[in-house]
Amino acid sequence: MTLAATPKMSPAARQLLDQLVAESQKLNEQTEAEALIEKRQAAQERLLSQGLPTRKDEDWQYTSLIPMLSHAFEIKPAKTITLDAIQSFLPEFDTIRLTFVDGVFSEELSAGFDFIPDALSIEMADADAIQSINLDEQADAFQLMNEMLLDQGLTVSLEKGAVLSVPLHVLHVQTQPEQWVNLRTQVSLSKNSEMTFIQQFVSLEAGHSALVNDLAKVAVADDARFKQIVLQDMNLESYYFANQFFEQSSSSVVETNYVGLGGEISRHQNYLMMLGEHAESMQNSIGLGTGKQVIDSRTSTTHQAAHCDSRQLHKLVLDDQSRGVFNGMIHVVKGAQKTDGQMDNKNLLLSKTAKVDAKPQLEIYADDVKCSHGCASGQIDEQQVFYAQARGIRKADALQLITRAFLLEPLESITNLTLRNWLTDTVSRKLAKQ
């Protein structure tokens, strides 16, 4: 494979593609399964033919990858770290904890195995076992990169009628500079089962630029309930890209909350398909940007069946020269009658140089539906500040109280109070450092 057929691109972009091709070829040389090699090569061919996205591409108009291209990321062996090094990141409540260091599972840093019931299967699968995610024709560059570097992943499945008593907590720790971490996750819930799934992304040290590229698929069977928290709190020099694909069957429930606090550039995308009648979904997100951070949050929700409800609330707080992006789409197909879909995006700008670009969209082909979207951006209401000051609260404290109350609203829908308090405390500590 050569780069002769690639479109015109910058030397830095070409260097990144060269590096990815070299890493993929290393994996192919260690792989015996021809089908897997062909899959990687097919992704490579598609990526090379389309190149990396630029701001000329509509979906990347507000998220420039130029800062990322100044790095020489590579896949490195995982470092050995101690439990003390990650202790400050851990919640104080019980979980089944799976720890990955630089993308590699660490049994020594994992815990809570006594909580694993017979009905729960957890496997660190090799690439042959995690190929069920088939990329469609619209796959973006980061999905194709993930496929090129497909090597191993995490598969989780819960049997019919089982309810997980404690959350399954997957902690991803990045320890090295210029590290490329390729993640693949598959979760499957059988009929009438229930699980809370926490994914946490952290950096061990400031100043180390790592890139995490995560691709996940979640299948939720009839009457099953899947509750997810994604807490991304990597250092401000890192890069985070995630694509999540959800498939919901009849009367199932999906609740997913994304908390984006770290990363120089972060982009979190949900693709949610409501395939069975009477399914319910809730997709919320919050993002806190400072410095020159770019926080990009996206959803694509398809109502494929009748009598489904979807709710979304997305909030960004942006300070300094940070930039926020929200792009959401509710798509209602013909025949998906009695759909009820709501999507709201609200943004708070704390400086004159912070920016936000929002694009909520509806695409409806059924005639008996109730769908709405809303979007609002602005600065702190001075009357609220005055009201607080009139009651003896210092201006700085009043500003922080108002900002905190605004940002935390999407988390109020989390019914597990212990979990909600952990997230609230994490976000509040971040706000206090501003």
Side-chain angles (χ1 to χ4, degrees):
M1 186 71 63
T2 68
L3 295 181
T6 56
K8 185 178 180 181
M9 66 181 70
S10 69
R14 186 172 292 272
Q15 184 177 6
L16 175 61
L17 288 183
D18 281 338
Q19 179 66 24
L20 291 170
V21 169
E23 296 284 359
S24 185
Q25 287 177 343
K26 281 185 198 173
L27 293 173
N28 290 339
E29 290 169 2
Q30 301 164 7
T31 301
E32 295 182 356
E34 286 296 325
L36 176 57
I37 295 174
E38 290 174 3
K39 200 164 186 174
R40 289 186 189 131
Q41 290 177 335
Q44 176 178 314
E45 187 173 352
R46 289 175 61 183
L47 180 62
L48 295 182
S49 66
Q50 73 183 49
L52 295 178
T54 69
R55 296 184 69 171
K56 293 180 181 178
D57 298 290
E58 184 175 352
D59 280 347
W60 294 86
Q61 186 176 1
Y62 305 112
T63 304
S64 171
L65 296 178
I66 289 177
M68 184 191 87
L69 298 178
S70 64
H71 297 274
F73 295 109
E74 59 181 323
I75 297 176
K76 304 174 183 176
K79 272 192 169 181
T80 300
I81 61 175
T82 66
L83 182 61
D84 287 343
I86 63 171
Q87 199 67 49
S88 62
F89 302 120
L90 303 180
E92 295 182 352
F93 50 87
D94 291 334
T95 64
I96 301 167
R97 187 177 76 241
L98 308 177
T99 303
F100 290 77
V101 179
D102 298 326
V104 178
F105 176 65
S106 169
E107 185 170 350
E108 295 75 17
L109 300 179
S110 301
F113 297 146
D114 291 342
F115 292 112
I116 299 177
D118 292 340
L120 177 66
S121 169
I122 301 173
E123 296 182 24
M124 308 304 156
D126 62 23
D128 289 343
I130 52 172
Q131 295 186 59
S132 69
I133 301 176
N134 294 310
L135 303 183
D136 63 26
E137 294 180 355
Q138 307 302 318
D140 74 6
F142 285 88
Q143 295 174 36
L144 294 172
M145 292 181 212
N146 188 283
E147 188 97 326
M148 282 177 63
L149 302 178
L150 177 58
D151 185 26
Q152 60 177 337
L154 171 65
T155 62
V156 176
S157 58
L158 191 59
E159 293 182 0
K160 180 180 177 181
V163 177
L164 209 56
S165 61
V166 299
L168 177 58
H169 178 203
V170 182
L171 174 65
H172 292 282
V173 186
Q174 321 313 323
T175 71
Q176 302 181 68
E178 308 296 281
Q179 171 83 356
W180 184 292
V181 177
N182 203 65
L183 304 174
R184 181 73 70 106
T185 307
Q186 290 184 174
V187 180
S188 174
L189 276 73
S190 300
K191 181 179 174 61
N192 199 31
S193 60
E194 181 173 342
M195 171 193 296
T196 298
F197 189 60
I198 303 171
Q199 291 167 281
Q200 185 181 6
F201 299 85
V202 300
S203 304
L204 204 57
E205 297 180 25
H208 284 178
S209 296
L211 187 150
V212 171
N213 186 17
D214 185 25
L215 184 61
K217 179 180 178 181
V218 180
V220 187
D222 292 355
D223 302 305
R225 297 163 298 282
F226 179 73
K227 300 177 181 180
Q228 182 193 40
I229 301 293
V230 180
L231 172 57
Q232 187 274 113
D233 193 14
M234 297 167 66
N235 66 34
L236 297 181
E237 294 78 21
S238 291
Y239 302 88
Y240 166 86
F241 301 91
N243 287 279
Q244 298 196 115
F245 296 85
F246 297 92
E247 291 182 357
Q248 283 190 256
S249 298
S250 297
S251 302
S252 63
V253 176
V254 167
E255 297 177 6
T256 178
N257 289 272
Y258 171 64
V259 178
L261 303 177
E264 181 171 355
I265 300 174
S266 61
R267 182 174 169 120
H268 186 86
Q269 167 88 58
N270 289 339
Y271 299 88
L272 189 142
M273 297 284 292
M274 309 183 82
L275 302 173
E277 292 190 356
H278 299 287
E280 299 177 7
S281 70
M282 185 198 69
Q283 301 174 79
N284 290 348
S285 71
I286 66 174
L288 175 61
T290 59
K292 294 185 178 181
Q293 281 183 274
V294 177
I295 301 175
D296 189 339
S297 180
R298 292 165 181 261
T299 62
S300 173
T301 305
T302 300
H303 286 258
Q304 193 79 33
H307 300 282
C308 292
D309 295 348
S310 64
R311 295 287 183 272
Q312 298 183 49
L313 177 57
H314 305 276
K315 287 197 166 186
L316 292 167
V317 169
L318 302 165
D319 201 355
D320 304 326
Q321 300 175 59
S322 61
R323 185 162 198 162
V325 181
F326 172 72
N327 188 305
M329 165 68 82
I330 296 177
H331 179 78
V332 182
V333 306
K334 187 177 180 181
Q337 305 293 8
K338 304 295 182 184
T339 287
D340 187 349
Q342 294 181 19
M343 174 169 55
D344 285 308
N345 167 233
K346 298 176 182 176
N347 309 297
L348 183 60
L349 304 176
L350 299 181
S351 77
K352 293 182 179 179
T353 50
K355 295 181 180 178
V356 64
D357 298 284
K359 190 178 180 182
Q361 306 163 80
L362 300 175
E363 193 172 284
I364 301 172
Y365 296 96
D367 56 11
D368 186 9
V369 303
K370 186 170 63 176
C371 287
S372 67
H373 64 63
C375 178
S377 301
Q379 297 179 324
I380 285 182
D381 187 342
E382 290 298 332
Q383 288 190 343
Q384 288 184 339
V385 179
F386 175 78
Y387 181 85
Q389 287 183 283
R391 279 145 184 81
I393 301 174
R394 294 187 308 145
K395 184 175 183 179
D397 294 336
L399 291 171
Q400 191 166 103
L401 278 174
I402 295 167
T403 302
R404 182 176 180 275
F406 173 88
L407 185 60
L408 294 177
E409 183 188 356
L411 301 183
E412 293 175 1
S413 61
I414 299 173
T415 54
N416 183 326
L417 288 180
T418 306
L419 181 53
R420 188 204 303 173
N421 290 339
W422 175 61
L423 287 173
T424 298
D425 290 345
T426 302
V427 176
S428 298
R429 284 196 299 271
K430 201 80 174 183
L431 271 171
K433 291 179 180 177
Q434 281 189 288

